[in-house]
Amino acid sequence: DHGSWSLALESTNVANATLFNNIAPVWVALIAVLFWKEKLTRRFWAGLVLTMGGAAYILGSQILSGSALNAGDIWGVISSFFYAGYFLVTQRVRSQYKTLTYVWLVAFMASLTLLVVNLIFQRPLSGFSFETYMLFVAAALISQVGGYFSVAYALGHLPAAVVAPTMILQPVLTSLLAIPFAGEMLSSGQLIGGASVLLGIYLINRN
């Protein structure tokens, strides 16, 4: 997921990469219905449409305005399959492992896999600035340890079809945090998109 999403960012903008990565809930829902025979009601699908539409509205992706697809956008879609796979696998495996044990095993195997990939493609593993190393540490502690621990815990108690679309709350929170940290005020479009996401997540979880 992170490897392909990072490749997407080399050729497309953050909004496009994030939007395509967040298609994952659609794959999760389809697999849950087609292969796991989970019963998802019309209210769930309505909530999913509202959530996805709201996220697209917030991100304001250039794709929606008619820009041509490029390699970065394709990598973004590929990352969504891996992201969906994480939700689906975690839902099944979490019944056998405690949250911390599972997160540790996943992080360890992911690190080994990414190390091999970086060595194959001869990507640098050192020589970065002090500020960059601090960003690596912050991303590891906040996003990986904190974020994925919370997701893994949730998937031990809720189905992937519910957790995955709830994660689309990310762009809403990002927009809200941008007010005090970046001095960016919300536009009317962001407010409408955020309300759509919140309503969709409510319907999904209520369902």
Side-chain angles (χ1 to χ4, degrees), residues 16-111:
N16 283 21
T18 303
L19 177 61
F20 283 119
N21 179 257
N22 277 286
I23 297 173
V26 176
W27 312 135
V28 171
L30 290 175
I31 291 174
V33 170
L34 296 175
F35 296 100
W36 292 358
K37 308 302 180 183
E38 290 186 9
K39 303 293 185 181
L40 300 178
T41 67
R42 290 180 179 178
R43 180 186 290 182
F44 173 89
W45 291 108
L48 185 59
V49 169
L50 282 170
T51 302
M52 300 294 294
Y57 208 88
I58 291 172
L59 294 168
S61 174
Q62 294 176 358
I63 289 297
L64 301 179
S65 61
S67 298
L69 286 169
N70 59 35
D73 300 318
I74 294 172
W75 275 113
V77 174
I78 292 173
S79 74
S80 73
F81 288 108
F82 288 110
Y83 196 27
Y86 174 80
F87 284 110
L88 293 164
V89 170
T90 303
Q91 177 182 331
R92 289 298 175 94
V93 179
R94 270 286 285 114
S95 61
Q96 304 172 40
Y97 295 94
K98 292 186 179 297
T99 306
L100 192 58
T101 302
Y102 177 74
V103 171
W104 148 249
L105 291 171
V106 169
F108 178 71
M109 294 307 300
S111 298

Side-chain angles (χ1 to χ4, degrees), residues 1-2 83 86 99 103 142-153:
D1 170 34
H2 286 290
Y83 196 27
Y86 174 80
T99 306
V103 171
I142 297 171
S143 176
Q144 300 304 305
V145 178
Y148 276 89
F149 178 88
S150 301
V151 172
Y153 180 86

Side-chain angles (χ1 to χ4, degrees), residues 98-141:
K98 292 186 179 297
T99 306
L100 192 58
T101 302
Y102 177 74
V103 171
W104 148 249
L105 291 171
V106 169
F108 178 71
M109 294 307 300
S111 298
L112 287 180
T113 303
L114 288 172
L115 175 61
V116 172
V117 171
N118 276 282
L119 291 175
I120 292 174
F121 288 97
Q122 299 181 331
R123 296 296 180 107
L125 299 173
S126 61
F128 304 105
S129 66
F130 175 78
E131 290 78 9
T132 300
Y133 280 118
M134 290 299 97
L135 288 173
F136 289 155
V137 172
L141 294 177

